[in-house]
Amino acid sequence: MARKNRDTDWIADEAVEEAPAEPCWLCGRPLGKTVDRFHPIPKSRGGRDTVPVHPICRETIDANFSASELVRHAEMGIALTNNEAVARFVKWVANKPADFHSATKGGR
């Protein structure tokens, strides 16, 4: 069994810290510690690719679009921000920190 080289652990940590923050697919803000992977074309409709989004952005997409609407937007090349509710959300969240999360309404 090979030994772990403990002297090179700092190199891996340094590389992680220097990596530029990846932007959120929906709002464009840098991503924080928690990142969701979102299928712009739902898996149920044949989508395979994923994009990084904030959890709050994912909740907004799920609340405003059905699977068929997401497919329609992707096929026609229409941005999700053309939806009035999503555009208001993106404007509202623009100046929030990367790890910002707002409480959502509870169940019925």
Side-chain angles (χ1 to χ4, degrees), residues 2-25:
R3 282 191 184 181
K4 181 178 179 183
N5 188 351
R6 297 179 196 276
D7 295 334
T8 59
D9 288 345
W10 63 272
I11 295 173
D13 292 340
E14 188 175 296
V16 170
E17 291 175 11
E18 291 179 6
E22 190 174 8
C24 174
W25 180 75

Side-chain angles (χ1 to χ4, degrees), residues 4 34-35 37 42 49 61:
K4 181 178 179 183
T34 306
V35 178
R37 300 301 295 182
D49 298 331
I61 293 169

Side-chain angles (χ1 to χ4, degrees), residues 21-43:
E22 190 174 8
C24 174
W25 180 75
L26 181 65
C27 70
R29 296 180 301 137
L31 294 169
K33 293 178 184 175
T34 306
V35 178
D36 280 357
R37 300 301 295 182
F38 174 72
H39 289 85
I41 298 176
K43 287 173 54 176

Side-chain angles (χ1 to χ4, degrees), residues 59-82:
E59 291 173 9
T60 301
I61 293 169
D62 291 342
N64 288 288
F65 299 101
S66 66
S68 59
E69 289 172 328
L70 288 171
V71 170
R72 196 172 321 122
H73 275 78
E75 288 175 349
M76 297 174 74
I78 301 171
L80 297 183
T81 53
N82 284 358

